[in-house]
Amino acid sequence: MKQNKEERKENITKQRQEQILDAAMRVFSKRGFTAATTSEIAQTAGIAEGTIYNYYKNKRDLFISVMHRYIVPEPIIGLIQRAQTEDDSNLISALVNDRLSRDFREIDIFLLLMSELHRDKGMRQQYLEDVTNPILNELEKYLMSIVSSGRARPVNIEVTARILVGLMIGLVIVKKVEGEQGPLNRLPNNEVVSEVTKFILSGFQTKCDKA
Amino acid sequence: MKQNKEERKENITKQRQEQILDAAMRVFSKRGFTAATTSEIAQTAGIAEGTIYNYYKNKRDLFISVMHRYIVPEPIIGLIQRAQTEDDSNLISALVNDRLSRDFREIDIFLLLMSELHRDKGMRQQYLEDVTNPILNELEKYLMSIVSSGRARPVNIEVTARILVGLMIGLVIVKKVEGEQGPLNRLPNNEVVSEVTKFILSGFQTKCDKA
Amino acid sequence: MKQNKEERKENITKQRQEQILDAAMRVFSKRGFTAATTSEIAQTAGIAEGTIYNYYKNKRDLFISVMHRYIVPEPIIGLIQRAQTEDDSNLISALVNDRLSRDFREIDIFLLLMSELHRDKGMRQQYLEDVTNPILNELEKYLMSIVSSGRARPVNIEVTARILVGLMIGLVIVKKVEGEQGPLNRLPNNEVVSEVTKFILSGFQTKCDKA
Amino acid sequence: MKQNKEERKENITKQRQEQILDAAMRVFSKRGFTAATTSEIAQTAGIAEGTIYNYYKNKRDLFISVMHRYIVPEPIIGLIQRAQTEDDSNLISALVNDRLSRDFREIDIFLLLMSELHRDKGMRQQYLEDVTNPILNELEKYLMSIVSSGRARPVNIEVTARILVGLMIGLVIVKKVEGEQGPLNRLPNNEVVSEVTKFILSGFQTKCDKA
DNA sequence: TATGAATGAGCATTCATTCAT
DNA sequence: AATGAATGAATGCTCATTCAT
């Protein structure tokens, strides 16, 4: 019984934390770290302002928790790992599709993260360790495998991994900046994905021009 | 003589504005729009806080002026136009090199702009008109010319232009996030540029696999 | 029990509002609207500056609340209504006495209101509706009744009502401007009241000069 | 020649002072002392902000000069003196008419003066000596003469003088507060003047009711 | 544990005044 | 004498954080 009670308590605590994190994520990504107010976060979460401080030491602590909660490498790493056996075109398509089909909120969080990273050395280090490096490592493993199997040119693995990650990030930013009227939003998603995939695999030059 | 006087006055005004803009740029890119204080901007510029308001209506006006002063499409458009007659590999190299050789401050300003754009519809619209669209238009013209000349595959012009822009933006972000220890900073610049150029022209797949 | 709690809370809120309004009234009437500082109001109320803003949106809102709290037509209207059956001399005496026995603070508030009215059209309109018109209406009703009963000359009702109101206002101002040494303060109150009453009823000309 | 030059200089100085005083009067009466800015005064006068300080020590000094320049007892005293020989009804009419036909600017200055008087003891004292007392003295002399000549009841001279002054002030305030739509503005001026004159001479009670 | 009133440091902005030209 | 840029103190207002209930 007692344990049951404690469990329930713990559950409520978890729920409350989730509730706050979700609200904080929305407000932070809408306003940016400094312009976001604890008052608006509390309102969004449907709780009192003071309650936030029962779960998080201060605003920055809450922000860091939001980043940990919503910026994670697992989904993208999963994609790469599951794709190791599939053919390359499928993997790239899946990756591109995954990124481009996310909604704008994620882009906002990402941009937010970017702009806060260089104000907080510790955060930047942690983001590198927790998110960037795992993804890049996985990509590098994949690139090594396809280079050694002869399916890819003998590219510089490190640089190419960064090219791929950079391309994903950049596309998502362009998509967001141009908004609803931009081609990346206007065209059917699969058309965009297929075009990007072809680009990644073959560049834009006429193929086999030396053949 | 009189004109001389007026001219000198005008020069002083210009200098003072430049002085404030420069300081504002530094502080804004270090702190972000909201966290930047007019007090720190004034201190950085070596003037009194009130003096800022003799030249700019308010903090947001100053911010917009900074953006206009430091985010301009001309250099990149110039590059594309001057390259129309050169061979494609040279143009791409030049573009990539131009972007990757910029210092971090510019990246900060760019990220800053991105994160403020979606809080200010007017600013976003203006940025599209003043910067994004001119660059994309120029790129699209270039792509059309090389497609029709047979030097490029019959790609979707619109999407490919965005791929190129996105790639530039993304690379610069990755370079910034990984910092001094990342490959994009560690490797010789020309090596990175050459790798990116090859990627853009041919992708990473083994060429002519169907030949 | 719960209700008790809520009630207590409400009481505290009321008290706090009253505390702020009282302080604001003092400071506003001492300094005028613009010269009054929220800092001094807070100090006078014995609270922190920020606390004011838990109860009032901004300084102007606080000012308007002060006006609503301290400038009300009810007492004067009550006087007129209760006097309808009494003889006219009694009513006039009561009115004059009521006005002249107020302390200087009220005069300050009144002057303050006057000087702010023409900077704020909305406030002026509201003051007319809430205070001026009700009093004038009541006075006009009274004047009509005494004219039709033959106790008064067939005066222009509208103008005479304004003469009476103006006389009250003006006397109070003269009393304030001349200060302690002026006759309106030096002479016994009932003497002044009686003199004013006689003036209102009969003017200063020798009565019945045509009889 | 030299003297001529100096004279001209003096004239220019006078003109400049007048120009500043006039502008200051307009701005002060529109905004009130604190809310009026030296910047707006300078703009209104068509001069540079700094120029004000060549003629007036500071803002308060300028304000006091405005008061001295625009609030003077002479016109009203002149009216009373010139009327000594005329019949009483004419004098009262002239007084009332003089006050009620002034435009709103003067009322604003008067209200402004009132609200500043009690922040500056010296100013209040001076206003009493320079303006209030001379007018009241003149009125008292007049009242004494008509009482002793039997044309007026044996009123309390001091109080009655204040009643008359108060009535003028109050009427003007009511006229201003009610604005264009109020009866004091809507009705023909001579009708209002005549009504007020009759009131002052005879009150509103039916005349000769004891006769 | 949740609440939300109270706090006061901090910020953008204004403005009277000065002073070099 | 006139100018107007520069100054910086002062102000209204916000908001993260605390704490009594």
Side-chain angles (χ1 to χ4, degrees):
Chain A
M1 259 328 196
K2 267 238 164 128
Q3 209 175 17
N4 210 324
K5 211 177 185 179
E6 292 224 344
E7 266 177 43
R8 212 181 308 153
K9 210 189 224 172
E10 222 171 282
N11 271 339
I12 292 179
T13 294
K14 274 262 169 69
Q15 270 179 35
R16 189 51 62 105
Q17 282 180 322
E18 197 64 24
Q19 185 185 7
I20 295 175
L21 279 182
D22 182 69
M25 179 266 282
R26 286 165 199 278
V27 178
F28 278 136
S29 64
K30 182 156 82 185
R31 307 255 184 237
F33 175 72
T34 313
T37 67
T38 50
S39 156
E40 188 178 357
I41 292 170
Q43 250 181 317
T44 304
I47 57 168
E49 221 176 324
T51 306
I52 293 174
Y53 290 85
N54 291 331
Y55 295 91
Y56 301 94
K57 210 171 75 235
N58 53 34
K59 196 178 155 189
R60 178 150 287 273
D61 182 42
L62 174 57
F63 179 73
I64 289 170
S65 299
V66 168
M67 290 296 127
H68 275 131
R69 170 72 182 73
Y70 290 100
I71 301 205
V72 288
E74 283 77 13
I76 215 169
I77 286 181
L79 261 183
I80 304 175
Q81 286 175 336
R82 257 176 286 122
Q84 302 273 3
T85 58
E86 303 175 31
D87 89 82
D88 305 328
S89 164
N90 275 3
L91 168 59
I92 302 297
S93 289
L95 273 178
V96 175
N97 187 60
D98 178 70
R99 288 298 101 187
L100 287 182
S101 56
R102 309 251 156 198
D103 68 9
F104 284 161
R105 166 139 306 132
E106 276 194 63
I107 309 178
D108 293 341
I109 299 182
F110 177 76
L111 281 172
L112 179 58
L113 176 70
M114 289 297 101
S115 51
E116 291 303 321
L117 276 188
H118 73 122
R119 270 150 231 164
D120 189 323
K121 291 259 166 157
M123 232 173 99
R124 180 165 153 278
Q125 196 53 41
Q126 193 155 44
Y127 176 70
L128 279 177
E129 282 170 24
D130 294 352
V131 182
T132 313
N133 290 342
I135 290 177
L136 282 169
N137 286 341
E138 207 60 37
L139 258 182
E140 288 176 359
K141 274 200 288 187
Y142 166 72
L143 286 171
M144 262 185 287
S145 79
I146 65 172
V147 166
S148 62
S149 79
R151 276 181 286 154
R153 291 186 292 115
V155 294
N156 178 318
I157 301 282
E158 280 184 320
V159 174
T160 306
R162 271 122 196 113
I163 289 174
L164 290 175
V165 168
L167 185 47
M168 298 300 141
I169 292 174
L171 273 176
V172 148
I173 289 180
V174 171
K175 181 174 170 175
K176 154 121 188 135
V177 170
E178 288 207 292
E180 298 302 328
Q181 297 315 314
L184 302 186
N185 284 297
R186 216 182 340 98
L187 296 172
N189 201 44
N190 65 334
E191 201 175 317
V192 175
V193 170
S194 128
E195 192 73 25
V196 175
T197 305
K198 274 190 277 177
F199 181 90
I200 291 175
L201 294 175
S202 317
F204 63 65
Q205 271 197 336
T206 311
K207 275 189 198 170
C208 304
D209 45 357
K210 295 168 197 160
Chain B
M1 255 338 195
K2 268 230 166 133
Q3 206 176 18
N4 210 324
K5 211 177 183 179
E6 294 227 341
E7 267 178 42
R8 208 180 310 154
K9 208 186 231 175
E10 221 171 283
N11 272 338
I12 291 178
T13 295
K14 276 259 171 70
Q15 272 178 34
R16 190 49 63 105
Q17 281 180 324
E18 198 64 24
Q19 182 186 8
I20 295 175
L21 278 182
D22 183 71
M25 180 265 283
R26 286 165 201 277
V27 177
F28 278 138
S29 64
K30 183 157 82 183
R31 308 260 184 232
F33 175 73
T34 313
T37 68
T38 50
S39 156
E40 187 178 359
I41 292 171
Q43 249 180 319
T44 304
I47 56 170
E49 217 173 331
T51 304
I52 293 174
Y53 293 85
N54 290 336
Y55 295 90
Y56 300 94
K57 212 170 73 238
N58 54 36
K59 195 178 154 189
R60 177 151 286 273
D61 182 42
L62 176 56
F63 181 74
I64 288 170
S65 298
V66 168
M67 291 297 125
H68 274 132
R69 170 76 181 71
Y70 291 101
I71 300 203
V72 287
E74 284 77 14
I76 218 169
I77 287 179
L79 264 183
I80 304 175
Q81 286 175 335
R82 257 176 285 121
Q84 302 271 5
T85 58
E86 303 175 31
D87 87 81
D88 306 328
S89 160
N90 274 3
L91 168 59
I92 302 296
S93 289
L95 274 178
V96 175
N97 186 59
D98 178 71
R99 288 297 103 187
L100 287 182
S101 57
R102 310 250 154 199
D103 68 9
F104 284 162
R105 166 138 304 133
E106 277 193 65
I107 307 177
D108 291 342
I109 300 180
F110 177 76
L111 280 172
L112 178 57
L113 176 69
M114 289 299 102
S115 53
E116 291 304 322
L117 277 187
H118 73 120
R119 269 151 230 161
D120 189 324
K121 290 259 168 156
M123 233 173 97
R124 179 165 153 278
Q125 194 54 39
Q126 192 155 42
Y127 176 71
L128 277 176
E129 280 170 25
D130 294 353
V131 181
T132 312
N133 289 342
I135 290 177
L136 283 170
N137 285 342
E138 208 59 41
L139 259 182
E140 289 177 359
K141 275 200 287 188
Y142 166 72
L143 287 172
M144 261 184 286
S145 79
I146 65 172
V147 165
S148 62
S149 78
R151 277 180 286 155
R153 289 187 292 117
V155 294
N156 178 321
I157 302 281
E158 281 184 318
V159 174
T160 305
R162 274 126 192 109
I163 289 174
L164 290 175
V165 168
L167 184 47
M168 298 299 143
I169 292 175
L171 274 177
V172 150
I173 289 180
V174 171
K175 180 175 170 176
K176 151 108 192 154
V177 170
E178 288 206 295
E180 298 301 330
Q181 297 317 312
L184 301 185
N185 284 299
R186 216 181 341 96
L187 295 173
N189 201 43
N190 65 334
E191 201 175 317
V192 175
V193 170
S194 130
E195 192 72 26
V196 175
T197 306
K198 276 189 277 177
F199 180 90
I200 292 175
L201 294 174
S202 317
F204 62 63
Q205 270 195 338
T206 310
K207 276 187 195 171
C208 305
D209 46 356
K210 295 168 198 162
Chain C
M1 256 336 195
K2 268 236 167 124
Q3 207 175 18
N4 209 324
K5 211 177 183 178
E6 294 226 342
E7 266 178 44
R8 208 181 309 156
K9 208 187 230 173
E10 222 172 283
N11 273 339
I12 292 178
T13 294
K14 275 258 171 71
Q15 271 178 35
R16 190 50 63 104
Q17 281 181 323
E18 198 62 27
Q19 183 185 8
I20 295 175
L21 278 182
D22 183 70
M25 180 265 283
R26 285 166 201 277
V27 177
F28 278 137
S29 64
K30 182 156 83 184
R31 307 259 184 233
F33 176 73
T34 313
T37 67
T38 50
S39 156
E40 188 178 358
I41 293 171
Q43 250 179 318
T44 304
I47 57 170
E49 216 174 330
T51 304
I52 293 173
Y53 293 86
N54 291 335
Y55 295 90
Y56 300 94
K57 212 171 73 238
N58 53 36
K59 196 178 152 188
R60 178 151 283 275
D61 182 41
L62 175 56
F63 181 74
I64 289 170
S65 298
V66 168
M67 292 298 125
H68 274 132
R69 169 74 181 72
Y70 292 101
I71 301 202
V72 288
E74 283 77 14
I76 220 169
I77 287 180
L79 263 183
I80 305 175
Q81 285 176 335
R82 257 176 286 122
Q84 302 273 4
T85 56
E86 305 177 29
D87 88 84
D88 306 329
S89 160
N90 274 3
L91 167 59
I92 301 297
S93 290
L95 273 179
V96 175
N97 186 59
D98 178 70
R99 287 299 101 186
L100 287 182
S101 57
R102 311 250 155 199
D103 69 9
F104 284 162
R105 166 138 305 132
E106 277 193 66
I107 308 178
D108 292 341
I109 300 181
F110 177 76
L111 280 173
L112 178 58
L113 175 70
M114 287 300 102
S115 53
E116 291 304 322
L117 276 187
H118 73 119
R119 269 150 229 162
D120 189 324
K121 290 258 166 156
M123 232 174 98
R124 179 165 153 277
Q125 195 54 39
Q126 192 155 42
Y127 177 70
L128 278 177
E129 281 170 25
D130 294 353
V131 182
T132 311
N133 290 342
I135 291 177
L136 283 169
N137 286 342
E138 208 59 41
L139 259 181
E140 289 177 359
K141 275 200 287 188
Y142 167 72
L143 288 171
M144 261 184 288
S145 80
I146 64 173
V147 166
S148 62
S149 79
R151 277 180 287 153
R153 291 186 290 117
V155 294
N156 178 319
I157 302 281
E158 281 184 318
V159 174
T160 305
R162 272 124 194 113
I163 289 174
L164 290 176
V165 168
L167 185 45
M168 298 299 144
I169 292 174
L171 274 177
V172 149
I173 289 180
V174 171
K175 180 174 169 174
K176 152 108 192 156
V177 170
E178 289 207 294
E180 298 302 331
Q181 296 317 314
L184 301 186
N185 285 298
R186 216 181 342 97
L187 295 173
N189 201 43
N190 64 335
E191 201 175 319
V192 175
V193 170
S194 129
E195 193 71 27
V196 175
T197 304
K198 276 189 277 176
F199 181 90
I200 291 175
L201 294 174
S202 318
F204 63 63
Q205 272 195 337
T206 310
K207 275 189 198 172
C208 304
D209 46 358
K210 294 168 199 162
Chain D
M1 261 326 197
K2 269 236 164 128
Q3 209 176 15
N4 209 324
K5 211 177 184 180
E6 293 224 343
E7 266 177 42
R8 211 181 310 154
K9 211 189 222 173
E10 223 171 281
N11 272 339
I12 292 178
T13 294
K14 275 260 169 69
Q15 270 179 35
R16 189 52 61 103
Q17 281 180 322
E18 196 64 23
Q19 185 185 6
I20 295 175
L21 279 182
D22 181 69
M25 178 267 283
R26 286 165 200 277
V27 178
F28 279 136
S29 64
K30 182 157 80 184
R31 308 256 185 236
F33 175 73
T34 313
T37 67
T38 50
S39 156
E40 188 178 358
I41 292 170
Q43 251 181 317
T44 304
I47 57 169
E49 221 176 326
T51 306
I52 293 173
Y53 290 85
N54 291 331
Y55 296 90
Y56 301 94
K57 210 171 75 237
N58 53 36
K59 197 179 155 188
R60 179 150 286 273
D61 182 41
L62 174 57
F63 179 74
I64 289 170
S65 299
V66 168
M67 291 296 128
H68 275 132
R69 170 73 182 73
Y70 291 100
I71 301 205
V72 288
E74 284 77 14
I76 213 168
I77 287 180
L79 261 183
I80 303 176
Q81 286 175 336
R82 255 176 287 122
Q84 302 273 4
T85 57
E86 303 175 33
D87 89 83
D88 306 327
S89 164
N90 275 2
L91 167 60
I92 302 296
S93 289
L95 274 178
V96 175
N97 186 60
D98 177 71
R99 288 298 101 187
L100 286 181
S101 56
R102 311 253 156 196
D103 69 9
F104 284 162
R105 165 138 310 130
E106 276 194 64
I107 309 178
D108 292 341
I109 299 181
F110 177 76
L111 281 172
L112 179 58
L113 176 70
M114 288 298 100
S115 51
E116 291 302 322
L117 275 188
H118 72 120
R119 269 149 231 164
D120 189 324
K121 290 257 166 156
M123 231 174 100
R124 179 164 154 278
Q125 196 52 41
Q126 192 155 44
Y127 176 70
L128 278 177
E129 281 170 24
D130 294 353
V131 182
T132 313
N133 289 342
I135 291 177
L136 283 169
N137 286 340
E138 207 59 38
L139 258 182
E140 288 176 359
K141 275 199 288 188
Y142 166 72
L143 287 171
M144 262 185 287
S145 79
I146 65 172
V147 166
S148 61
S149 79
R151 275 180 288 153
R153 291 186 290 117
V155 294
N156 178 319
I157 302 281
E158 281 183 319
V159 174
T160 305
R162 273 126 195 108
I163 289 174
L164 289 175
V165 168
L167 185 46
M168 297 302 142
I169 292 174
L171 274 177
V172 149
I173 289 179
V174 170
K175 181 174 170 174
K176 155 126 187 128
V177 169
E178 288 206 293
E180 298 302 329
Q181 297 316 314
L184 302 186
N185 284 298
R186 216 182 340 98
L187 295 173
N189 202 44
N190 65 334
E191 202 176 317
V192 175
V193 170
S194 128
E195 192 73 28
V196 175
T197 305
K198 276 189 277 177
F199 181 90
I200 292 175
L201 295 174
S202 317
F204 63 66
Q205 273 196 336
T206 310
K207 275 189 200 172
C208 305
D209 47 356
K210 296 169 197 159

